[in-house]
Amino acid sequence: MRSIPKRVAGAVALAIALPFAATACGGGDSGGDSDTIVIGTKYDQPGLGLKQPDGTLTGFDVDVAKYVANELGYSEDQIEWKEAPSAQRETLIQNGQVDFIAATYSITDSRKEKVDFAGPYLITGQSLLVRADNNDITGAASLENNKKLCSVSGSTPAQRIKDEYPGVQLQQYDTYSACVEALKNGAVDALTTDEVILAGYAAQSPGTFKLVGDTFSEERYGIGLKKDDTELRNKINDAIEKMESSGAWKEAFDKNLGPAGIQAPQPPAVDRD
Ligand code: GLU
């Protein structure tokens, strides 16, 4: 892609897999990949990033990513999506397997040692999801009473439980959808992650789950990109600001997260430091 370091591995794979297609298009530079942008997102989080049976992706993160890509000069059909599970995000960026990631990705100091972030473009907080008929889980502290809690490896909510509630029996899965199944079938008693994610799962199975307690952290979602690529970071920040000020941000929020009962907040100010 233009003005962004090439994804060498991707270019080699493309050259091997599609020599005729690449030649036929005649497009791109010698790297062969300048016509597409690779974006990482979640595939299993309703309202944020969800792969539909027909292969298309929907959700607020997906719409933010599409808007940003468009501002960078890439139309929707030039986007190559890549699944970005929580624990793999830094590696996908560092290895150049994606150009950027929009995947409920909290900006944190420890992640900033490995990657850079544009944004934030959404602020939410950690919460708990339980089965609708549960009455004894009221907040994180009540989980220390021999409850099994599910969260995802490499996520900030899992880390916070380990740091602040070491008495809780935490089970770490690879994805939140696997935690939702475990919660449904009784293998765990609760699921913890960001409120917007949990609200999406609750809305997906009406009457099955409920959110409990107040949020107990601040999660600032950013777009992850290669460390020290200031040019790309500035361009993505410009795109986020334009999306927020034009009304497209609110429209995307209402469309994707409104059905889960979440009111659109004021869009956050982008951090230019
Ligand atoms: N926002 C949190 C994080 O980045 C939790 C959601 C997720 O795992 O994607 O770790």
Side-chain angles (χ1 to χ4, degrees), residues 13-214:
L14 187 67
I16 293 165
L18 296 167
F20 300 109
T23 311
C25 295
D29 55 23
S30 55
D33 66 339
S34 63
D35 288 332
T36 60
I37 186 163
V38 183
I39 304 175
T41 193
K42 297 295 184 80
Y43 281 9
D44 67 332
Q45 295 179 189
L48 290 151
L50 185 66
K51 194 163 188 175
Q52 302 291 338
D54 68 0
T56 58
L57 289 163
T58 56
F60 184 67
D61 281 345
V62 169
D63 283 348
V64 170
K66 283 181 188 171
Y67 191 97
V68 168
N70 191 263
E71 290 298 306
L72 296 174
Y74 296 88
S75 62
E76 252 183 80
D77 54 11
Q78 288 174 296
I79 299 174
E80 201 183 304
W81 297 100
K82 191 161 180 63
E83 188 172 16
S86 298
Q88 292 175 31
R89 292 174 294 199
E90 288 83 51
T91 310
L92 285 168
I93 293 169
Q94 287 178 303
N95 290 349
Q97 289 165 276
V98 293
D99 291 302
F100 68 76
I101 285 183
T104 59
Y105 199 8
S106 297
I107 302 169
T108 69
D109 287 343
S110 66
R111 288 173 179 164
K112 276 200 220 165
E113 288 170 16
K114 297 177 177 170
V115 300
D116 272 351
F117 289 96
Y121 63 89
L122 184 68
I123 297 180
T124 179
Q126 184 168 354
S127 190
L128 292 173
L129 191 74
V130 299
R131 286 182 292 278
D133 60 1
N134 179 282
N135 289 317
D136 59 353
I137 298 173
T138 49
S142 66
L143 296 165
E144 291 187 301
N145 196 12
N146 240 344
K147 299 291 183 195
K148 291 198 186 81
L149 175 66
C150 196
S151 196
V152 164
S153 319
S155 71
T156 50
Q159 191 58 48
R160 188 165 297 102
I161 294 295
K162 285 187 263 183
D163 293 344
E164 294 174 23
Y165 302 94
V168 173
Q169 297 178 47
L170 176 68
Q171 303 195 357
Q172 297 185 76
Y173 290 28
D174 288 338
T175 60
Y176 294 110
S177 51
C179 282
V180 170
E181 282 313 304
L183 182 60
K184 221 178 243 176
N185 68 32
V188 299
D189 302 301
L191 158 55
T192 189
T193 187
D194 306 331
E195 189 172 43
V196 286
I197 301 175
L198 298 177
Y201 289 124
Q204 194 181 41
S205 307
T208 311
F209 306 118
K210 63 181 178 191
L211 280 135
V212 290
D214 294 328

